[in-house]
Amino acid sequence: MNNKLIELACIIDDDDIYTNLVKRVIKTKKLCENLITFKNGKQSIDYFEALLQNSDNNKIPDIIFIDLNMPIMDGWEFIEQFNKIKNRFNKLITLYIVSSSINPVDIDRAKSLNSVKDYLVKPVVINELENIFNESV
């Protein structure tokens, strides 16, 4: 196993049970140094736009896990907004969709987006998470 860790990961999901479970797995398995969470796409877009204003590169996540179905701003809207600003960051940010939807339309749409690395179906398996973090270092 690689001893280097992802510095910062981000979970955007309104499901507290899922978020807390993934946070616990990440902490227990020591998959990254820090983790930030948001309950919807709007909160996270506001965060990223504030980073651009402040030029604070230390708070830019390496990996984003985003749900599709959320209130206020869903995952699709987030991706659309994020694609407009992501090139302004001096860092590669890897985006994964994590959804309970097994609708082939959602999966095909996600896989057609260059900005999305992969589509994961909930519940995410621990080994799957470990592989993502280990491959991203």
Side-chain angles (χ1 to χ4, degrees), residues 6-12 35-36 48 60-67 78-79 82-83 86-87 89-98 110 113-120 128-129 131-137:
I6 295 290
E7 289 181 29
L8 181 62
C10 175
I11 299 173
I12 307 168
L35 181 67
I36 54 175
F48 288 112
I60 302 170
D62 303 281
I63 300 175
I64 297 173
F65 297 97
I66 184 162
D67 188 19
F78 167 82
I79 292 168
F82 185 71
N83 283 342
K86 71 177 185 179
N87 291 335
F89 294 108
N90 293 325
K91 187 174 189 177
L92 177 64
I93 304 170
T94 308
L95 185 63
Y96 290 88
I97 292 177
V98 184
L113 299 172
N114 290 336
S115 58
V116 175
K117 174 82 171 183
D118 204 356
Y119 186 99
L120 309 172
E128 200 171 22
L129 265 181
N131 288 339
I132 288 170
F133 278 91
N134 289 333
E135 289 172 3
S136 298
V137 175

mmCIF file of all heavy atoms in Angstrom, residues 6-12 35-36 48 60-67 78-79 82-83 86-87 89-98 110 113-120 128-129 131-137:
data_model
loop_
_atom_site.group_PDB
_atom_site.id
_atom_site.type_symbol
_atom_site.label_atom_id
_atom_site.label_comp_id
_atom_site.label_asym_id
_atom_site.label_seq_id
_atom_site.Cartn_x
_atom_site.Cartn_y
_atom_site.Cartn_z
ATOM 1 N N ILE A 6 -4.251 11.036 0.022
ATOM 2 C CA ILE A 6 -4.967 12.154 -0.576
ATOM 3 C C ILE A 6 -5.089 13.236 0.500
ATOM 4 O O ILE A 6 -5.430 12.938 1.643
ATOM 5 C CB ILE A 6 -6.369 11.692 -1.024
ATOM 6 C CG1 ILE A 6 -6.283 10.668 -2.140
ATOM 7 C CG2 ILE A 6 -7.259 12.862 -1.394
ATOM 8 C CD1 ILE A 6 -5.808 11.224 -3.453
ATOM 9 N N GLU A 7 -4.809 14.474 0.132
ATOM 10 C CA GLU A 7 -4.864 15.538 1.136
ATOM 11 C C GLU A 7 -6.285 15.904 1.524
ATOM 12 O O GLU A 7 -6.596 16.094 2.696
ATOM 13 C CB GLU A 7 -4.145 16.777 0.608
ATOM 14 C CG GLU A 7 -2.645 16.601 0.552
ATOM 15 C CD GLU A 7 -1.949 17.841 0.047
ATOM 16 O OE1 GLU A 7 -2.479 18.950 0.248
ATOM 17 O OE2 GLU A 7 -0.883 17.688 -0.553
ATOM 18 N N LEU A 8 -7.160 16.033 0.531
ATOM 19 C CA LEU A 8 -8.516 16.481 0.836
ATOM 20 C C LEU A 8 -9.514 15.820 -0.120
ATOM 21 O O LEU A 8 -9.335 15.860 -1.327
ATOM 22 C CB LEU A 8 -8.608 18.010 0.712
ATOM 23 C CG LEU A 8 -9.943 18.659 1.028
ATOM 24 C CD1 LEU A 8 -10.347 18.418 2.478
ATOM 25 C CD2 LEU A 8 -9.891 20.158 0.752
ATOM 26 N N ALA A 9 -10.548 15.232 0.457
ATOM 27 C CA ALA A 9 -11.640 14.659 -0.331
ATOM 28 C C ALA A 9 -12.925 15.392 0.041
ATOM 29 O O ALA A 9 -13.018 16.012 1.105
ATOM 30 C CB ALA A 9 -11.773 13.165 -0.058
ATOM 31 N N CYS A 10 -13.903 15.306 -0.839
ATOM 32 C CA CYS A 10 -15.156 16.037 -0.654
ATOM 33 C C CYS A 10 -16.336 15.109 -0.949
ATOM 34 O O CYS A 10 -16.334 14.411 -1.964
ATOM 35 C CB CYS A 10 -15.176 17.236 -1.592
ATOM 36 S SG CYS A 10 -16.690 18.183 -1.617
ATOM 37 N N ILE A 11 -17.322 15.120 -0.068
ATOM 38 C CA ILE A 11 -18.564 14.384 -0.280
ATOM 39 C C ILE A 11 -19.696 15.402 -0.377
ATOM 40 O O ILE A 11 -19.855 16.237 0.522
ATOM 41 C CB ILE A 11 -18.855 13.395 0.866
ATOM 42 C CG1 ILE A 11 -17.754 12.352 0.974
ATOM 43 C CG2 ILE A 11 -20.219 12.720 0.659
ATOM 44 C CD1 ILE A 11 -17.890 11.448 2.187
ATOM 45 N N ILE A 12 -20.470 15.330 -1.447
ATOM 46 C CA ILE A 12 -21.632 16.203 -1.625
ATOM 47 C C ILE A 12 -22.848 15.296 -1.676
ATOM 48 O O ILE A 12 -23.085 14.616 -2.676
ATOM 49 C CB ILE A 12 -21.507 17.048 -2.910
ATOM 50 C CG1 ILE A 12 -20.178 17.796 -2.949
ATOM 51 C CG2 ILE A 12 -22.692 18.018 -3.008
ATOM 52 C CD1 ILE A 12 -19.856 18.420 -4.304
ATOM 53 N N LEU A 35 -11.395 15.669 5.134
ATOM 54 C CA LEU A 35 -12.623 15.424 4.386
ATOM 55 C C LEU A 35 -13.581 16.583 4.646
ATOM 56 O O LEU A 35 -13.754 17.014 5.783
ATOM 57 C CB LEU A 35 -13.250 14.109 4.864
ATOM 58 C CG LEU A 35 -14.532 13.660 4.185
ATOM 59 C CD1 LEU A 35 -14.280 13.287 2.735
ATOM 60 C CD2 LEU A 35 -15.100 12.464 4.935
ATOM 61 N N ILE A 36 -14.184 17.098 3.578
ATOM 62 C CA ILE A 36 -15.217 18.110 3.732
ATOM 63 C C ILE A 36 -16.515 17.555 3.150
ATOM 64 O O ILE A 36 -16.487 16.742 2.231
ATOM 65 C CB ILE A 36 -14.845 19.455 3.060
ATOM 66 C CG1 ILE A 36 -14.463 19.248 1.589
ATOM 67 C CG2 ILE A 36 -13.755 20.154 3.824
ATOM 68 C CD1 ILE A 36 -14.208 20.547 0.834
ATOM 69 N N PHE A 48 -16.552 26.488 -3.727
ATOM 70 C CA PHE A 48 -15.527 26.539 -4.784
ATOM 71 C C PHE A 48 -15.366 27.949 -5.335
ATOM 72 O O PHE A 48 -14.255 28.386 -5.626
ATOM 73 C CB PHE A 48 -15.862 25.550 -5.906
ATOM 74 C CG PHE A 48 -15.653 24.117 -5.496
ATOM 75 C CD1 PHE A 48 -16.720 23.260 -5.343
ATOM 76 C CD2 PHE A 48 -14.373 23.631 -5.252
ATOM 77 C CE1 PHE A 48 -16.536 21.947 -4.955
ATOM 78 C CE2 PHE A 48 -14.169 22.317 -4.852
ATOM 79 C CZ PHE A 48 -15.256 21.471 -4.710
ATOM 80 N N ILE A 60 -8.655 22.986 -1.877
ATOM 81 C CA ILE A 60 -9.248 22.393 -3.078
ATOM 82 C C ILE A 60 -9.148 20.873 -2.960
ATOM 83 O O ILE A 60 -8.049 20.336 -2.795
ATOM 84 C CB ILE A 60 -8.507 22.851 -4.356
ATOM 85 C CG1 ILE A 60 -8.549 24.367 -4.460
ATOM 86 C CG2 ILE A 60 -9.113 22.197 -5.589
ATOM 87 C CD1 ILE A 60 -7.647 24.927 -5.548
ATOM 88 N N PRO A 61 -10.262 20.165 -3.027
ATOM 89 C CA PRO A 61 -10.204 18.705 -2.876
ATOM 90 C C PRO A 61 -9.559 18.029 -4.080
ATOM 91 O O PRO A 61 -9.604 18.542 -5.196
ATOM 92 C CB PRO A 61 -11.678 18.300 -2.734
ATOM 93 C CG PRO A 61 -12.444 19.402 -3.363
ATOM 94 C CD PRO A 61 -11.625 20.654 -3.198
ATOM 95 N N ASP A 62 -8.976 16.872 -3.814
ATOM 96 C CA ASP A 62 -8.407 16.044 -4.883
ATOM 97 C C ASP A 62 -9.497 15.194 -5.525
ATOM 98 O O ASP A 62 -9.443 14.910 -6.718
ATOM 99 C CB ASP A 62 -7.328 15.117 -4.318
ATOM 100 C CG ASP A 62 -6.231 15.890 -3.622
ATOM 101 O OD1 ASP A 62 -5.373 16.437 -4.326
ATOM 102 O OD2 ASP A 62 -6.257 15.956 -2.374
ATOM 103 N N ILE A 63 -10.445 14.769 -4.697
ATOM 104 C CA ILE A 63 -11.522 13.888 -5.150
ATOM 105 C C ILE A 63 -12.848 14.457 -4.654
ATOM 106 O O ILE A 63 -12.959 14.893 -3.511
ATOM 107 C CB ILE A 63 -11.369 12.467 -4.577
ATOM 108 C CG1 ILE A 63 -10.054 11.834 -5.002
ATOM 109 C CG2 ILE A 63 -12.537 11.573 -5.001
ATOM 110 C CD1 ILE A 63 -9.807 10.475 -4.356
ATOM 111 N N ILE A 64 -13.854 14.426 -5.533
ATOM 112 C CA ILE A 64 -15.220 14.798 -5.148
ATOM 113 C C ILE A 64 -16.127 13.607 -5.421
ATOM 114 O O ILE A 64 -16.112 13.044 -6.512
ATOM 115 C CB ILE A 64 -15.722 16.010 -5.956
ATOM 116 C CG1 ILE A 64 -14.867 17.244 -5.681
ATOM 117 C CG2 ILE A 64 -17.194 16.294 -5.631
ATOM 118 C CD1 ILE A 64 -15.212 18.439 -6.571
ATOM 119 N N PHE A 65 -16.910 13.244 -4.404
ATOM 120 C CA PHE A 65 -17.952 12.229 -4.563
ATOM 121 C C PHE A 65 -19.289 12.961 -4.484
ATOM 122 O O PHE A 65 -19.586 13.588 -3.467
ATOM 123 C CB PHE A 65 -17.891 11.183 -3.437
ATOM 124 C CG PHE A 65 -16.622 10.392 -3.423
ATOM 125 C CD1 PHE A 65 -15.577 10.739 -2.576
ATOM 126 C CD2 PHE A 65 -16.465 9.293 -4.252
ATOM 127 C CE1 PHE A 65 -14.406 10.015 -2.557
ATOM 128 C CE2 PHE A 65 -15.291 8.560 -4.246
ATOM 129 C CZ PHE A 65 -14.260 8.917 -3.398
ATOM 130 N N ILE A 66 -20.065 12.901 -5.542
ATOM 131 C CA ILE A 66 -21.313 13.662 -5.556
ATOM 132 C C ILE A 66 -22.508 12.767 -5.857
ATOM 133 O O ILE A 66 -22.462 11.909 -6.744
ATOM 134 C CB ILE A 66 -21.255 14.838 -6.553
ATOM 135 C CG1 ILE A 66 -22.538 15.663 -6.455
ATOM 136 C CG2 ILE A 66 -20.980 14.360 -7.972
ATOM 137 C CD1 ILE A 66 -22.448 17.034 -7.047
ATOM 138 N N ASP A 67 -23.563 12.990 -5.087
ATOM 139 C CA ASP A 67 -24.835 12.312 -5.305
ATOM 140 C C ASP A 67 -25.586 13.057 -6.404
ATOM 141 O O ASP A 67 -25.336 14.232 -6.670
ATOM 142 C CB ASP A 67 -25.648 12.333 -3.997
ATOM 143 C CG ASP A 67 -26.899 11.489 -4.087
ATOM 144 O OD1 ASP A 67 -27.009 10.620 -4.970
ATOM 145 O OD2 ASP A 67 -27.797 11.708 -3.248
ATOM 146 N N PHE A 78 -24.831 20.671 -10.334
ATOM 147 C CA PHE A 78 -23.498 20.929 -9.791
ATOM 148 C C PHE A 78 -22.439 20.711 -10.864
ATOM 149 O O PHE A 78 -21.556 21.543 -11.060
ATOM 150 C CB PHE A 78 -23.197 20.024 -8.587
ATOM 151 C CG PHE A 78 -21.749 20.046 -8.208
ATOM 152 C CD1 PHE A 78 -21.239 21.062 -7.416
ATOM 153 C CD2 PHE A 78 -20.864 19.083 -8.698
ATOM 154 C CE1 PHE A 78 -19.886 21.109 -7.099
ATOM 155 C CE2 PHE A 78 -19.513 19.116 -8.393
ATOM 156 C CZ PHE A 78 -19.031 20.131 -7.589
ATOM 157 N N ILE A 79 -22.524 19.568 -11.549
ATOM 158 C CA ILE A 79 -21.517 19.248 -12.570
ATOM 159 C C ILE A 79 -21.487 20.330 -13.653
ATOM 160 O O ILE A 79 -20.419 20.763 -14.083
ATOM 161 C CB ILE A 79 -21.784 17.849 -13.167
ATOM 162 C CG1 ILE A 79 -21.531 16.777 -12.100
ATOM 163 C CG2 ILE A 79 -20.912 17.605 -14.402
ATOM 164 C CD1 ILE A 79 -22.028 15.396 -12.484
ATOM 165 N N PHE A 82 -19.858 23.331 -12.044
ATOM 166 C CA PHE A 82 -18.460 23.038 -11.729
ATOM 167 C C PHE A 82 -17.604 23.023 -12.996
ATOM 168 O O PHE A 82 -16.461 23.493 -12.984
ATOM 169 C CB PHE A 82 -18.371 21.702 -10.989
ATOM 170 C CG PHE A 82 -16.989 21.372 -10.510
ATOM 171 C CD1 PHE A 82 -16.419 22.068 -9.454
ATOM 172 C CD2 PHE A 82 -16.249 20.365 -11.118
ATOM 173 C CE1 PHE A 82 -15.140 21.781 -9.016
ATOM 174 C CE2 PHE A 82 -14.969 20.066 -10.682
ATOM 175 C CZ PHE A 82 -14.420 20.769 -9.633
ATOM 176 N N ASN A 83 -18.148 22.488 -14.086
ATOM 177 C CA ASN A 83 -17.404 22.457 -15.352
ATOM 178 C C ASN A 83 -17.050 23.858 -15.840
ATOM 179 O O ASN A 83 -16.066 24.034 -16.556
ATOM 180 C CB ASN A 83 -18.196 21.704 -16.422
ATOM 181 C CG ASN A 83 -18.122 20.198 -16.223
ATOM 182 O OD1 ASN A 83 -17.254 19.689 -15.529
ATOM 183 N ND2 ASN A 83 -19.068 19.492 -16.822
ATOM 184 N N LYS A 86 -13.930 24.742 -13.145
ATOM 185 C CA LYS A 86 -12.882 23.804 -12.716
ATOM 186 C C LYS A 86 -11.515 24.103 -13.318
ATOM 187 O O LYS A 86 -10.492 23.855 -12.685
ATOM 188 C CB LYS A 86 -13.290 22.366 -13.007
ATOM 189 C CG LYS A 86 -13.289 22.019 -14.484
ATOM 190 C CD LYS A 86 -13.619 20.571 -14.701
ATOM 191 C CE LYS A 86 -13.487 20.280 -16.187
ATOM 192 N NZ LYS A 86 -13.755 18.906 -16.498
ATOM 193 N N ASN A 87 -11.460 24.637 -14.527
ATOM 194 C CA ASN A 87 -10.164 24.913 -15.151
ATOM 195 C C ASN A 87 -9.452 26.102 -14.531
ATOM 196 O O ASN A 87 -8.283 26.338 -14.830
ATOM 197 C CB ASN A 87 -10.338 25.123 -16.653
ATOM 198 C CG ASN A 87 -10.711 23.835 -17.354
ATOM 199 O OD1 ASN A 87 -10.404 22.743 -16.873
ATOM 200 N ND2 ASN A 87 -11.415 23.953 -18.472
ATOM 201 N N PHE A 89 -8.884 26.256 -11.379
ATOM 202 C CA PHE A 89 -8.095 25.738 -10.261
ATOM 203 C C PHE A 89 -6.791 25.172 -10.806
ATOM 204 O O PHE A 89 -6.777 24.550 -11.857
ATOM 205 C CB PHE A 89 -8.860 24.623 -9.526
ATOM 206 C CG PHE A 89 -10.103 25.107 -8.837
ATOM 207 C CD1 PHE A 89 -11.347 24.785 -9.338
ATOM 208 C CD2 PHE A 89 -10.022 25.890 -7.700
ATOM 209 C CE1 PHE A 89 -12.499 25.225 -8.713
ATOM 210 C CE2 PHE A 89 -11.174 26.332 -7.072
ATOM 211 C CZ PHE A 89 -12.412 26.003 -7.573
ATOM 212 N N ASN A 90 -5.710 25.374 -10.085
ATOM 213 C CA ASN A 90 -4.420 24.832 -10.499
ATOM 214 C C ASN A 90 -4.220 23.441 -9.920
ATOM 215 O O ASN A 90 -3.194 23.146 -9.319
ATOM 216 C CB ASN A 90 -3.286 25.755 -10.043
ATOM 217 C CG ASN A 90 -3.331 27.069 -10.754
ATOM 218 O OD1 ASN A 90 -3.691 27.132 -11.918
ATOM 219 N ND2 ASN A 90 -2.964 28.123 -10.045
ATOM 220 N N LYS A 91 -5.229 22.607 -10.086
ATOM 221 C CA LYS A 91 -5.168 21.280 -9.494
ATOM 222 C C LYS A 91 -6.133 20.366 -10.245
ATOM 223 O O LYS A 91 -7.209 20.797 -10.644
ATOM 224 C CB LYS A 91 -5.577 21.390 -8.024
ATOM 225 C CG LYS A 91 -5.423 20.134 -7.218
ATOM 226 C CD LYS A 91 -5.740 20.443 -5.752
ATOM 227 C CE LYS A 91 -5.403 19.277 -4.856
ATOM 228 N NZ LYS A 91 -5.642 19.591 -3.457
ATOM 229 N N LEU A 92 -5.737 19.118 -10.405
ATOM 230 C CA LEU A 92 -6.629 18.135 -10.995
ATOM 231 C C LEU A 92 -7.603 17.652 -9.927
ATOM 232 O O LEU A 92 -7.191 17.198 -8.862
ATOM 233 C CB LEU A 92 -5.826 16.946 -11.543
ATOM 234 C CG LEU A 92 -6.659 15.814 -12.131
ATOM 235 C CD1 LEU A 92 -7.433 16.273 -13.356
ATOM 236 C CD2 LEU A 92 -5.775 14.634 -12.459
ATOM 237 N N ILE A 93 -8.873 17.782 -10.202
ATOM 238 C CA ILE A 93 -9.915 17.350 -9.270
ATOM 239 C C ILE A 93 -10.681 16.218 -9.946
ATOM 240 O O ILE A 93 -11.242 16.392 -11.026
ATOM 241 C CB ILE A 93 -10.870 18.505 -8.931
ATOM 242 C CG1 ILE A 93 -10.087 19.700 -8.373
ATOM 243 C CG2 ILE A 93 -11.943 18.037 -7.950
ATOM 244 C CD1 ILE A 93 -10.912 20.971 -8.245
ATOM 245 N N THR A 94 -10.692 15.061 -9.306
ATOM 246 C CA THR A 94 -11.360 13.893 -9.872
ATOM 247 C C THR A 94 -12.770 13.795 -9.307
ATOM 248 O O THR A 94 -12.965 13.843 -8.095
ATOM 249 C CB THR A 94 -10.570 12.612 -9.545
ATOM 250 O OG1 THR A 94 -9.216 12.797 -9.938
ATOM 251 C CG2 THR A 94 -11.152 11.423 -10.287
ATOM 252 N N LEU A 95 -13.732 13.650 -10.204
ATOM 253 C CA LEU A 95 -15.147 13.662 -9.827
ATOM 254 C C LEU A 95 -15.765 12.284 -10.031
ATOM 255 O O LEU A 95 -15.657 11.699 -11.116
ATOM 256 C CB LEU A 95 -15.867 14.696 -10.690
ATOM 257 C CG LEU A 95 -17.318 14.990 -10.443
ATOM 258 C CD1 LEU A 95 -17.554 15.570 -9.061
ATOM 259 C CD2 LEU A 95 -17.840 15.963 -11.494
ATOM 260 N N TYR A 96 -16.394 11.780 -8.972
ATOM 261 C CA TYR A 96 -17.122 10.516 -9.030
ATOM 262 C C TYR A 96 -18.582 10.779 -8.683
ATOM 263 O O TYR A 96 -18.863 11.472 -7.705
ATOM 264 C CB TYR A 96 -16.579 9.503 -8.013
ATOM 265 C CG TYR A 96 -15.209 8.977 -8.341
ATOM 266 C CD1 TYR A 96 -14.074 9.644 -7.898
ATOM 267 C CD2 TYR A 96 -15.050 7.820 -9.079
ATOM 268 C CE1 TYR A 96 -12.810 9.173 -8.195
ATOM 269 C CE2 TYR A 96 -13.786 7.337 -9.380
ATOM 270 C CZ TYR A 96 -12.672 8.012 -8.932
ATOM 271 O OH TYR A 96 -11.412 7.544 -9.230
ATOM 272 N N ILE A 97 -19.491 10.213 -9.451
ATOM 273 C CA ILE A 97 -20.900 10.251 -9.093
ATOM 274 C C ILE A 97 -21.186 9.019 -8.258
ATOM 275 O O ILE A 97 -20.792 7.907 -8.613
ATOM 276 C CB ILE A 97 -21.798 10.279 -10.349
ATOM 277 C CG1 ILE A 97 -21.629 11.609 -11.084
ATOM 278 C CG2 ILE A 97 -23.258 10.044 -9.969
ATOM 279 C CD1 ILE A 97 -22.408 11.705 -12.379
ATOM 280 N N VAL A 98 -21.846 9.225 -7.126
ATOM 281 C CA VAL A 98 -22.254 8.127 -6.247
ATOM 282 C C VAL A 98 -23.759 8.245 -6.064
ATOM 283 O O VAL A 98 -24.239 9.202 -5.453
ATOM 284 C CB VAL A 98 -21.548 8.188 -4.884
ATOM 285 C CG1 VAL A 98 -21.937 6.979 -4.041
ATOM 286 C CG2 VAL A 98 -20.042 8.261 -5.048
ATOM 287 N N ALA A 110 -23.777 10.009 -17.226
ATOM 288 C CA ALA A 110 -22.574 10.256 -16.421
ATOM 289 C C ALA A 110 -21.319 9.829 -17.170
ATOM 290 O O ALA A 110 -20.319 10.542 -17.183
ATOM 291 C CB ALA A 110 -22.680 9.509 -15.096
ATOM 292 N N LEU A 113 -19.825 12.177 -19.803
ATOM 293 C CA LEU A 113 -19.202 13.427 -19.375
ATOM 294 C C LEU A 113 -17.711 13.224 -19.146
ATOM 295 O O LEU A 113 -17.309 12.362 -18.361
ATOM 296 C CB LEU A 113 -19.863 13.930 -18.086
ATOM 297 C CG LEU A 113 -21.353 14.252 -18.171
ATOM 298 C CD1 LEU A 113 -21.926 14.539 -16.792
ATOM 299 C CD2 LEU A 113 -21.578 15.439 -19.108
ATOM 300 N N ASN A 114 -16.891 14.020 -19.804
ATOM 301 C CA ASN A 114 -15.439 13.924 -19.628
ATOM 302 C C ASN A 114 -15.006 14.254 -18.213
ATOM 303 O O ASN A 114 -13.987 13.774 -17.746
ATOM 304 C CB ASN A 114 -14.722 14.862 -20.600
ATOM 305 C CG ASN A 114 -14.833 14.372 -22.027
ATOM 306 O OD1 ASN A 114 -15.024 13.189 -22.264
ATOM 307 N ND2 ASN A 114 -14.739 15.297 -22.964
ATOM 308 N N SER A 115 -15.787 15.074 -17.535
ATOM 309 C CA SER A 115 -15.399 15.511 -16.197
ATOM 310 C C SER A 115 -15.692 14.477 -15.117
ATOM 311 O O SER A 115 -15.253 14.631 -13.988
ATOM 312 C CB SER A 115 -16.097 16.828 -15.851
ATOM 313 O OG SER A 115 -17.503 16.670 -15.938
ATOM 314 N N VAL A 116 -16.422 13.415 -15.457
ATOM 315 C CA VAL A 116 -16.774 12.386 -14.477
ATOM 316 C C VAL A 116 -15.876 11.166 -14.688
ATOM 317 O O VAL A 116 -15.859 10.582 -15.762
ATOM 318 C CB VAL A 116 -18.263 11.984 -14.600
ATOM 319 C CG1 VAL A 116 -18.595 10.830 -13.667
ATOM 320 C CG2 VAL A 116 -19.154 13.181 -14.326
ATOM 321 N N LYS A 117 -15.143 10.795 -13.644
ATOM 322 C CA LYS A 117 -14.227 9.644 -13.731
ATOM 323 C C LYS A 117 -15.000 8.326 -13.758
ATOM 324 O O LYS A 117 -14.674 7.426 -14.526
ATOM 325 C CB LYS A 117 -13.267 9.679 -12.534
ATOM 326 C CG LYS A 117 -12.350 8.505 -12.398
ATOM 327 C CD LYS A 117 -11.153 8.635 -13.265
ATOM 328 C CE LYS A 117 -10.146 7.524 -12.934
ATOM 329 N NZ LYS A 117 -8.951 7.645 -13.697
ATOM 330 N N ASP A 118 -16.037 8.221 -12.888
ATOM 331 C CA ASP A 118 -16.784 6.968 -12.853
ATOM 332 C C ASP A 118 -18.120 7.185 -12.146
ATOM 333 O O ASP A 118 -18.327 8.193 -11.478
ATOM 334 C CB ASP A 118 -15.975 5.896 -12.119
ATOM 335 C CG ASP A 118 -16.380 4.485 -12.519
ATOM 336 O OD1 ASP A 118 -17.342 4.313 -13.302
ATOM 337 O OD2 ASP A 118 -15.726 3.549 -12.047
ATOM 338 N N TYR A 119 -18.992 6.207 -12.309
ATOM 339 C CA TYR A 119 -20.325 6.227 -11.707
ATOM 340 C C TYR A 119 -20.390 5.053 -10.736
ATOM 341 O O TYR A 119 -20.235 3.897 -11.138
ATOM 342 C CB TYR A 119 -21.377 6.063 -12.801
ATOM 343 C CG TYR A 119 -22.811 6.214 -12.356
ATOM 344 C CD1 TYR A 119 -23.487 7.400 -12.552
ATOM 345 C CD2 TYR A 119 -23.503 5.166 -11.759
ATOM 346 C CE1 TYR A 119 -24.813 7.543 -12.167
ATOM 347 C CE2 TYR A 119 -24.817 5.298 -11.362
ATOM 348 C CZ TYR A 119 -25.473 6.495 -11.578
ATOM 349 O OH TYR A 119 -26.779 6.640 -11.185
ATOM 350 N N LEU A 120 -20.594 5.339 -9.459
ATOM 351 C CA LEU A 120 -20.651 4.297 -8.438
ATOM 352 C C LEU A 120 -22.079 4.188 -7.928
ATOM 353 O O LEU A 120 -22.737 5.192 -7.691
ATOM 354 C CB LEU A 120 -19.722 4.635 -7.276
ATOM 355 C CG LEU A 120 -18.274 5.010 -7.642
ATOM 356 C CD1 LEU A 120 -17.536 5.495 -6.410
ATOM 357 C CD2 LEU A 120 -17.569 3.832 -8.266
ATOM 358 N N GLU A 128 -13.886 -0.798 -3.000
ATOM 359 C CA GLU A 128 -14.018 0.135 -4.112
ATOM 360 C C GLU A 128 -13.494 1.517 -3.706
ATOM 361 O O GLU A 128 -12.759 2.167 -4.452
ATOM 362 C CB GLU A 128 -15.498 0.216 -4.504
ATOM 363 C CG GLU A 128 -15.776 0.730 -5.871
ATOM 364 C CD GLU A 128 -17.246 0.560 -6.258
ATOM 365 O OE1 GLU A 128 -18.122 0.437 -5.375
ATOM 366 O OE2 GLU A 128 -17.510 0.564 -7.446
ATOM 367 N N LEU A 129 -13.858 1.948 -2.506
ATOM 368 C CA LEU A 129 -13.369 3.233 -1.994
ATOM 369 C C LEU A 129 -11.842 3.205 -1.841
ATOM 370 O O LEU A 129 -11.158 4.156 -2.237
ATOM 371 C CB LEU A 129 -13.996 3.526 -0.629
ATOM 372 C CG LEU A 129 -15.229 4.391 -0.585
ATOM 373 C CD1 LEU A 129 -15.682 4.595 0.848
ATOM 374 C CD2 LEU A 129 -15.080 5.704 -1.300
ATOM 375 N N ASN A 131 -9.676 1.415 -3.415
ATOM 376 C CA ASN A 131 -9.037 1.439 -4.738
ATOM 377 C C ASN A 131 -9.037 2.840 -5.328
ATOM 378 O O ASN A 131 -8.047 3.274 -5.913
ATOM 379 C CB ASN A 131 -9.744 0.471 -5.689
ATOM 380 C CG ASN A 131 -9.453 -0.972 -5.355
ATOM 381 O OD1 ASN A 131 -8.460 -1.285 -4.693
ATOM 382 N ND2 ASN A 131 -10.329 -1.863 -5.784
ATOM 383 N N ILE A 132 -10.145 3.548 -5.183
ATOM 384 C CA ILE A 132 -10.225 4.914 -5.715
ATOM 385 C C ILE A 132 -9.174 5.803 -5.067
ATOM 386 O O ILE A 132 -8.444 6.524 -5.741
ATOM 387 C CB ILE A 132 -11.640 5.496 -5.510
ATOM 388 C CG1 ILE A 132 -12.621 4.815 -6.467
ATOM 389 C CG2 ILE A 132 -11.650 7.009 -5.686
ATOM 390 C CD1 ILE A 132 -14.070 5.122 -6.195
ATOM 391 N N PHE A 133 -9.079 5.740 -3.739
ATOM 392 C CA PHE A 133 -8.109 6.589 -3.044
ATOM 393 C C PHE A 133 -6.673 6.176 -3.382
ATOM 394 O O PHE A 133 -5.823 7.030 -3.604
ATOM 395 C CB PHE A 133 -8.340 6.548 -1.526
ATOM 396 C CG PHE A 133 -9.430 7.480 -1.076
ATOM 397 C CD1 PHE A 133 -10.739 7.044 -0.994
ATOM 398 C CD2 PHE A 133 -9.162 8.792 -0.754
ATOM 399 C CE1 PHE A 133 -11.764 7.896 -0.594
ATOM 400 C CE2 PHE A 133 -10.167 9.662 -0.360
ATOM 401 C CZ PHE A 133 -11.470 9.213 -0.277
ATOM 402 N N ASN A 134 -6.408 4.892 -3.425
ATOM 403 C CA ASN A 134 -5.048 4.432 -3.726
ATOM 404 C C ASN A 134 -4.628 4.773 -5.149
ATOM 405 O O ASN A 134 -3.475 5.103 -5.400
ATOM 406 C CB ASN A 134 -4.934 2.924 -3.481
ATOM 407 C CG ASN A 134 -4.984 2.599 -2.002
ATOM 408 O OD1 ASN A 134 -4.609 3.411 -1.160
ATOM 409 N ND2 ASN A 134 -5.462 1.409 -1.684
ATOM 410 N N GLU A 135 -5.570 4.710 -6.094
ATOM 411 C CA GLU A 135 -5.251 5.034 -7.483
ATOM 412 C C GLU A 135 -5.092 6.535 -7.698
ATOM 413 O O GLU A 135 -4.465 6.965 -8.651
ATOM 414 C CB GLU A 135 -6.359 4.523 -8.412
ATOM 415 C CG GLU A 135 -6.384 3.020 -8.535
ATOM 416 C CD GLU A 135 -7.601 2.515 -9.289
ATOM 417 O OE1 GLU A 135 -8.398 3.336 -9.770
ATOM 418 O OE2 GLU A 135 -7.747 1.283 -9.393
ATOM 419 N N SER A 136 -5.667 7.327 -6.811
ATOM 420 C CA SER A 136 -5.651 8.782 -6.976
ATOM 421 C C SER A 136 -4.420 9.438 -6.374
ATOM 422 O O SER A 136 -4.183 10.615 -6.588
ATOM 423 C CB SER A 136 -6.903 9.389 -6.352
ATOM 424 O OG SER A 136 -8.051 8.915 -7.005
ATOM 425 N N VAL A 137 -3.651 8.708 -5.587
ATOM 426 C CA VAL A 137 -2.470 9.301 -4.935
ATOM 427 C C VAL A 137 -1.382 9.534 -5.960
ATOM 428 O O VAL A 137 -1.142 8.772 -6.825
ATOM 429 C CB VAL A 137 -1.939 8.383 -3.809
ATOM 430 C CG1 VAL A 137 -0.659 8.949 -3.230
ATOM 431 C CG2 VAL A 137 -2.974 8.235 -2.745
#
